[in-house]
Amino acid sequence: MTPQTPLTQEIISAEIAQARQAYAKAVEGGEPRRDHPDRGYAPYRSSVLRHPEQPLVALDDPDAVELSGPVFGVTDVTALDADLTRQHLGEPLGERIMVTGRVLGRDGRPVRGQLVEVWQANASGRYAHQRDQHPAPLDPNFTGVGRCLTDDQGRYAFTTIKPGAYPWRNHDNAWRPAHIHFSLFGTAFAQRLVTQMYFPGDPLFDHDPIMQSVTDDAARSRLVAAYDHDLSTPEWSLGYRWDIVLSGPAATWIEEGR
Amino acid sequence: MTPQPTPSQTVGPFYGYALPFAGGGDIAPAGHPDAITVRGRVYDGAGDPIPDALLEFWQPAPGGSRAGAPGSLRRDPVTGAVIGRTGLDFTGFGRVATDADGHYSIRTLPPGGAPYISVCVFARGLVHHLFTRVYLPELTDPATEPLLASLPPRRRATLLAVPEGGRVHRFDIRLQGDGVEEETVFLDFG
Ligand SMILES: [Fe+2]
């Protein structure tokens, strides 16, 4: 058996640069800008067998069920869900932060009373998940799961700790920049979004094929939260602001009181 | 200026302790006589089952209402644990993760006013979710239903649930064709 050449960061970085150039060239040639990543993004190796090769079938049906969507309410969340630092007997280790922002539709209107779910690694970069084998310590005082409903302005807010970077096996010496996973619902199922929020100035951005799967520079920058000193609380926590805009058609009708 | 959309990112491998919830696939009230089961497997382009996919389902109530109802993740305010839907309101929403063998199943009621259940697929390796639909053959005529009728037969078949008897329907999802089996039709709502 011939020994496998290690898949180095250098190789992945070259592929990332190539994909970015190909995208820039396509845009120059008149192709539309893309907000979302291309599902077949080879530098992220797991995408290779997990994306459709046939074009999606465009559906413009005003009666589509996907133009309505699930709703959630006060019974779906509890008071502690939005504070990830208070879900155990003790305080988790790490840098306490507050993350807040608004969830908007493409029309700029706030998404009201909808469910926002987050999950993240602890300060050492370890998930409370059995399959996470990264030899960093678990924190008995941190699970890393949060939920809340947006308010009338579409605002959400979580208190948590800043997650650590962590290694993964996409290639040799692969590390994910620190991030918080977000799951969002709009007024229509077609607006559904699962994404990741990053922290400003992380040196791992350029190395990470998941973040770089968004090949449009402006779109990718929208994944990065802003440090907001006005959101920091003296002698307590640092504040980050991150607004989220859902693509896809919003509901054509909205029930009273929603 | 109109706000610019936030890009999608993969759900990753570690959502398992955050997104699935107890009873996530029990959309029908327990013991409801009209309940149907939809079950199947999710496959990749090598024909291998995907053990870390997350599926969400959304559909009208049997009477046709698309308003949904809160309470899919109804919680016990004392312990925080999910105690499940009340069984009185039809929330129309379900969420299940595939098991180690790529299997999933949901129990629901037939949708009213539309012959399909909408599905949103997430998975590690999938950087942007995918929408598809489970068409229930007893509720639709594939020759006249506009979307189904617009597709060539092999493609159309990927959207049709296969009755297995006893109110059970099979619906497999293939994120990519494997050279033998057809890739599932995925939808774009713009
Ligand atoms: Fe992650």
Side-chain angles (χ1 to χ4, degrees), chain A residues 119 121 127 166 176 179 181 196, chain B residues 13-14:
Chain A
W119 69 104
Y127 283 91
Y166 62 83
R176 300 286 338 272
H179 59 274
H181 295 266
Q196 303 180 25
Chain B
F14 297 135

Side-chain angles (χ1 to χ4, degrees), chain A residues 9 12 16 18 71 115 127 132 167 181 197 208 250-251 256:
Chain A
Q9 180 69 53
I12 293 295
I16 287 172
Q18 239 167 42
V71 296
L115 183 67
Y127 283 91
D132 184 357
H181 295 266
M197 183 207 93
D208 179 35
E256 257 333 282

